[in-house]
Amino acid sequence: MDDYASPRREYVPVEVEGRPMYAEVELVGEQDEEVASRLFAFGEFTDHLTSLTQSVTEAVTSGLTKVKPSKVAVEFGCEVGLESGKLTAILVKGTAKANLKVTLEWQPEKS
């Protein structure tokens, strides 16, 4: 599949805290099985989301010692993807469009 083709999306059943629900997912790569016939564990997605959050946080905070802002805000959105039969978090799409916003603020020093 061409990396820049329109994303393929499907609604798949997922289990969240023992209850079934449906999530819209972006299909990544080739799928070996019919995805709508399987119940996916939402914990797979949250595990990926935790790793993604830690990576983004480490990347942002690594350069802060020099600039020393008084406030930092990081906002990112991700989509639920299905790759190799598992739910995964998608931050950057094949279009190379990132959904990441970092805001740094400095307060004037008090005399």
Side-chain angles (χ1 to χ4, degrees), residues 41-54 87-89:
F42 197 65
E44 295 172 351
F45 172 74
T46 57
D47 289 346
H48 284 249
L49 185 58
T50 298
S51 295
L52 178 61
T53 302
Q54 290 172 343
L87 296 177
T88 186

Side-chain angles (χ1 to χ4, degrees), residues 86-104:
K86 294 189 176 191
L87 296 177
T88 186
I90 301 174
L91 176 63
V92 180
K93 302 179 189 175
T95 60
K97 176 184 171 188
N99 191 3
L100 179 64
K101 177 182 175 183
V102 179
T103 305
L104 305 175

Side-chain angles (χ1 to χ4, degrees), residues 32-63:
D32 293 334
E33 62 182 279
E34 178 61 37
V35 295
S37 64
R38 221 180 118 200
L39 182 64
F40 295 92
F42 197 65
E44 295 172 351
F45 172 74
T46 57
D47 289 346
H48 284 249
L49 185 58
T50 298
S51 295
L52 178 61
T53 302
Q54 290 172 343
S55 295
V56 169
T57 302
E58 289 169 8
V60 170
T61 58
S62 67

Side-chain angles (χ1 to χ4, degrees), residues 9-26 34-42 45 80-82 87:
R9 298 185 175 278
E10 282 193 30
Y11 288 96
V12 298
V14 296
E15 184 177 349
V16 179
E17 296 182 3
R19 296 183 180 189
M21 62 174 278
Y22 282 85
E24 182 181 17
V25 299
E26 182 172 323
E34 178 61 37
V35 295
S37 64
R38 221 180 118 200
L39 182 64
F40 295 92
F42 197 65
F45 172 74
V80 181
L82 186 62
L87 296 177

